[in-house]
Amino acid sequence: MLSHATTVHIDLGERSYGIAIGAALLDDSASYAALPHASAALIVTNTTVAPLYAKRLRVALAGRYAQIHEVHLPDGEEHKTWQTLNLIFDALLTHGCDRKTVLYALGGGVIGDMTGFAAACYMRGVPFVQVPTTLLAQVDSSVGGKTAINHPLGKNMIGAFYQPRLVVCDLATLDTLPARELAAGLAEVIKYGPIADMALFAWLEQNMDALLARDRAALAHAVKRSCEIKAAVVGADEREAGLRAILNFGHTFGHAIEAGMGYGVWLHGEGVAAGMVMAAELSRRLGLVDAAFVERLTRLIERAGLPTRSPVLDAADNAGRYLELMRVDKKAEAGEIRFVLIDGPGQAVMRAAPDALVREVIDQCCAAA
Ligand code: NAD
Ligand code: GLY
């Protein structure tokens, strides 16, 4: 382990790896020392992150690879598509990259998900490293091996489970993150409380101001605890046979918001935030939690600067539109939507719910157009 980093291990047999968390890790060549030898690397990043961090990563990797290539993708959720994915394959083939070439995902969750999918596919699988530079990617998307692109009909519908060899979370990169993106990342941190760890939830209530002020120690704790929870869940259920689905608390409603509004209009974390309020309210209506819990969760989301009211997606039949979009969710079975609900604070459960009840929740939680 690097002396200035904390490492969280994710135990997946031969696919095990470490998540290094600390400051100034990105440009420290020691961060990458344990990776197997290869002659070439491809840094996959976007037009926003490249000017900030690509050169620093390239310098850190200079001693490891004879050739280091870069591809700069267009920035944004709306570019998480086949067409953009193909730019990675174009770069790999144009540079004559072999099957030992290591892909480095330098950026947020969009870059991480697309780079991982490209790594899973290129020559039927090449190694890849996650270097997440958003809070959301550091606490969630860079860990656990879910990789994907969007389809116009559904979020993250085309993808693969494919684990990185290493995750390097450099907390200093969060200094340049826009405030709206920092808040979006906090949604995924808050998520871990109701599903697994109410002590983390209470800590967030105490430390939300410090997190918003980017206090390094507070961020380090939030990233470490989030990665520990995610590593435990993924270690127990890598391919989401059951337990792993709890990590999707708020996502069934949230993905409908993202797709329904048009990818990139609401940030992923914003959709998850409003979606968690809806899922908590559905849990309450099913008798699983009380109103005080829903109120407590709503207040914390609000304090993070995140939306607690969901958008109207269709003026004529809003609930119908939500239901239509949610039936495309990956957790749906035979057209029946399965929700991650809270079965008492700190405990998640997967359940279907009557459409009529879901409609009531949507009507209650959506802001007027
Ligand atoms: P993102 O990747 O779009 O990044 C957000 C914005 O911040 C982008 O404009 C990006 O260019 C910019 N940015 C990144 N790092 C920066 C930095 N350090 N300084 C300044 N700007 C920076 O969004 P995200 O919130 O990181 O990720 C969302 C995506 O992650 C969604 O597509 C979602 O589906 C996916 N996701 C995947 C998983 C998973 O398990 N694979 C989990 C959660 C979310
Ligand atoms: N973000 C959900 C998962 O990794 O399973």
Side-chain angles (χ1 to χ4, degrees):
M1 190 185 83
L2 295 157
S3 58
H4 49 296
T6 303
T7 301
V8 174
H9 290 281
I10 178 157
D11 190 2
L12 290 167
E14 63 183 13
R15 294 182 306 290
S16 299
Y17 53 95
I19 306 156
I21 302 163
L25 300 184
L26 171 105
D27 33 19
D28 185 345
S29 57
S31 300
Y32 315 95
L35 291 166
H37 176 76
S39 60
L42 175 70
I43 298 172
V44 183
T45 186
N46 70 27
T47 50
T48 305
V49 177
L52 295 168
Y53 300 113
K55 186 169 179 208
R56 286 170 54 183
L57 179 58
R58 180 184 266 276
V59 169
L61 298 178
R64 292 193 64 77
Y65 306 101
Q67 292 179 310
I68 301 175
H69 311 291
E70 290 181 29
V71 58
H72 300 179
L73 306 181
D75 185 10
E77 183 75 35
E78 66 275 26
H79 295 294
K80 197 177 170 186
T81 61
W82 272 119
Q83 289 77 10
T84 312
L85 184 73
N86 210 39
L87 298 176
I88 305 176
F89 299 131
D90 288 347
L92 286 162
L93 288 163
T94 304
H95 295 300
C97 292
D98 64 22
R99 63 179 2 156
K100 286 192 170 174
T101 302
V102 183
L103 270 57
Y104 284 79
L106 175 67
V110 171
I111 286 293
D113 281 14
M114 281 199 294
T115 306
F117 190 29
C121 299
Y122 186 66
M123 294 196 178
R124 303 196 181 93
V126 292
F128 88 109
V129 174
Q130 291 271 15
V131 188
T133 61
T134 64
L135 181 61
L136 186 140
Q138 295 189 357
V139 300
D140 192 348
S141 65
S142 66
V143 174
K146 277 190 181 176
T147 74
I149 54 169
N150 298 328
H151 187 280
L153 294 179
K155 169 93 178 148
N156 291 337
M157 277 293 151
I158 321 291
F161 287 98
Y162 194 69
Q163 299 296 339
R165 298 294 175 96
L166 171 73
V167 181
V168 178
C169 295
D170 186 335
L171 300 168
T173 62
L174 303 180
D175 291 349
T176 56
L177 199 60
R180 186 179 169 200
E181 299 291 350
L182 186 80
L186 287 170
E188 300 279 18
V189 183
I190 291 170
K191 167 187 84 177
Y192 291 113
I195 63 167
D197 184 359
M198 286 307 284
L200 172 64
F201 192 88
W203 181 89
L204 288 167
E205 289 176 320
Q206 295 295 318
N207 291 278
M208 186 52 75
D209 292 343
L211 289 166
L212 290 169
R214 303 175 201 230
D215 175 87
R216 193 65 63 74
L219 286 169
H221 180 76
V223 173
K224 177 170 178 279
R225 189 65 199 122
S226 299
C227 288
E228 284 170 349
I229 295 168
K230 183 149 187 186
V233 171
V234 173
D237 179 21
E238 181 183 7
R239 296 178 71 91
E240 202 168 303
L243 176 71
R244 184 168 177 169
I246 68 170
L247 298 173
N248 282 312
F249 174 50
H251 288 55
T252 307
F253 290 106
H255 284 170
I257 293 171
E258 284 188 84
M261 292 298 285
Y263 296 120
V265 177
W266 274 50
L267 300 181
H268 176 72
E270 293 170 343
V272 169
M276 285 192 289
V277 176
M278 294 171 104
E281 176 57 22
L282 184 57
S283 308
R284 186 192 72 74
R285 283 170 185 261
L286 287 164
L288 302 175
V289 288
D290 59 18
F293 170 76
V294 181
E295 178 62 18
R296 194 177 164 199
L297 175 62
T298 306
R299 290 288 78 78
L300 186 60
I301 291 170
E302 205 168 61
R303 279 190 59 208
L306 288 160
T308 56
R309 306 274 300 160
S310 296
V312 173
L313 300 179
D314 184 326
D317 181 13
N318 185 47
R321 178 69 179 136
Y322 268 89
L323 285 165
E324 179 185 44
L325 286 164
M326 290 194 294
R327 283 190 223 289
V328 188
D329 189 81
K330 289 190 288 309
K331 294 181 294 305
E333 287 179 13
E336 184 183 68
I337 307 162
R338 295 175 60 73
F339 295 93
V340 180
L341 301 173
I342 302 305
D343 191 10
Q347 177 79 34
V349 67
M350 284 277 289
R351 273 185 55 176
D355 275 5
L357 203 62
V358 179
R359 281 179 176 273
E360 284 176 24
V361 169
I362 295 165
D363 290 345
Q364 179 187 326
C365 293
C366 285

